[in-house]
Amino acid sequence: IGMNAISVADRYLDGSMDADDAIKKLDDLYDRMEYVDDLTPDDEYYHYDFGVRAYISSLRTYIYLDDYAKIKSTRNELAKDVGEDKR
């Protein structure tokens, strides 16, 4: 899911996806991570999954605000966590 969010951010930054479509796709990804609400800090992937979901939420906000610098920064932080290259 994190890599999908990176792809959405990249397509938005490249201009191949508009804000409405990007936000809709990120909303879908965020909803797919609803299970995080049921995890506890003792669960093995709690911190990782919670972090990915938080990055997705941030990306939605920054795309809505059209803040390219924050979109890129958040995208790169997420990429670092999922083992992808920075942009």
Side-chain angles (χ1 to χ4, degrees), residues 4-44:
N4 289 336
I6 291 169
S7 174
V8 170
D10 286 344
R11 291 179 6 218
Y12 178 76
L13 290 168
D14 292 340
S16 64
M17 179 181 288
D18 67 21
D20 289 339
D21 288 340
I23 291 170
K24 185 182 293 184
K25 290 197 180 296
L26 291 170
D27 282 344
D28 290 342
L29 294 173
Y30 187 87
D31 290 346
R32 285 176 50 195
M33 295 195 75
E34 193 172 277
Y35 67 88
V36 172
D37 293 337
D38 297 326
L39 298 177
T40 67
D42 295 330
D43 290 313
E44 182 177 1

Side-chain angles (χ1 to χ4, degrees), residues 13 55 59 68-78:
L13 290 168
Y55 287 130
L59 284 169
Y68 278 76
K70 288 188 178 177
I71 296 166
K72 185 176 177 182
S73 172
T74 302
R75 179 254 182 246
N76 285 338
E77 290 172 22
L78 176 56

Side-chain angles (χ1 to χ4, degrees), residues 33 35-37 39 45-55:
M33 295 195 75
Y35 67 88
V36 172
D37 293 337
L39 298 177
Y45 294 105
Y46 171 80
H47 296 287
Y48 174 82
D49 288 348
F50 188 84
V52 169
R53 194 172 190 213
Y55 287 130

